[in-house]
Amino acid sequence: MDAISKVPRHMFMDSGFIDHAYQDKAFPISSGQTISQPYTVAFQSQLLNIEKGDKILEIGTGSGYQAAVLCEMGVKLYTIERIKELYRKTSVFLPSINYYPKKMIYGDGYQGYLDEAPYDGIIVTAGASEVPKKLLQQLKLNGKMVIPLGDDVQKMLLYTKISDKDYEIEDFGDFKFVPMLKDKI
Ligand code: SAH
């Protein structure tokens, strides 16, 4: 995926880890979270079938790496983070390296972001133990949500909204994510 190669991953990590930046593995960022491995970022991004100008909601801003890849793909990005410190850091950092999400939100991703709904796509970047109903409701008709579902290991599920209350669900196999947690801290 082109967008991946355009984003300097080492800049999203604490300094001194350049050797690790381009290996295909997850890496710790602050507040006990991890930046996903590039393969997973590419995989999730591709499943959304993104077209330039699509309105996308990301749950779990984290380091901003996935957000930057989505910006490279030309989307209008809204991204939510529940940890204040990460939200603060990343909302300053992304513009400083010329990535401009439409809005970065400090809040609970389980609630989605109703002000800008509906979305062409929703990408959840933490492992959810249940599928957040509110997120499904905030999808456009034919919109897609990619979500890793499960507690210890997650199944990568792709929901496509085929009517007001019907979804097609596809399973893309096992992945490992940090848990999606309720409320903000
Ligand atoms: N997309 C990030 C991945 C970070 S790991 C990146 O590219 O770096 C997952 C992130 O989801 C963490 O930052 C974690 O704090 C956040 N998260 C967990 N539960 C959340 C929730 N309910 N709402 C919003 N963000 C959440």
Side-chain angles (χ1 to χ4, degrees), residues 84-146:
K84 191 163 218 171
E85 195 192 321
L86 278 175
Y87 159 77
R88 276 219 200 99
K89 223 169 111 180
T90 303
S91 49
V92 173
F93 175 65
L94 277 178
S96 80
I97 56 166
N98 293 319
Y99 291 114
Y100 300 96
K102 288 276 172 206
K103 191 160 185 159
M104 291 184 248
I105 301 133
Y106 168 54
D108 176 8
Y110 272 96
Q111 307 303 317
Y113 187 60
L114 200 51
D115 291 13
E116 289 290 338
Y119 300 94
D120 297 292
I122 299 178
I123 176 167
V124 179
T125 71
S129 52
E130 60 193 277
V131 176
K133 297 256 160 26
K134 287 188 181 165
L135 293 185
L136 287 175
Q137 287 161 3
Q138 291 175 26
L139 274 181
K140 281 184 192 169
L141 191 62
N142 296 318
K144 290 177 184 292
M145 174 166 89
V146 59

Side-chain angles (χ1 to χ4, degrees), residues 114-184:
L114 200 51
D115 291 13
E116 289 290 338
Y119 300 94
D120 297 292
I122 299 178
I123 176 167
V124 179
T125 71
S129 52
E130 60 193 277
V131 176
K133 297 256 160 26
K134 287 188 181 165
L135 293 185
L136 287 175
Q137 287 161 3
Q138 291 175 26
L139 274 181
K140 281 184 192 169
L141 191 62
N142 296 318
K144 290 177 184 292
M145 174 166 89
V146 59
I147 180 166
L149 187 72
D151 289 327
D152 294 335
V153 177
Q154 293 83 30
K155 294 230 169 287
M156 188 69 79
L157 299 185
L158 181 67
Y159 281 72
T160 304
K161 190 167 196 159
I162 52 176
S163 82
D164 253 4
K165 41 184 190 325
D166 295 306
Y167 301 86
E168 182 187 285
I169 305 168
E170 293 164 270
D171 180 348
F172 289 90
D174 290 351
F175 285 79
K176 194 118 182 71
F177 283 78
V178 293
M180 181 172 175
L181 300 168
K182 288 196 169 148
D183 302 325
K184 53 188 184 183

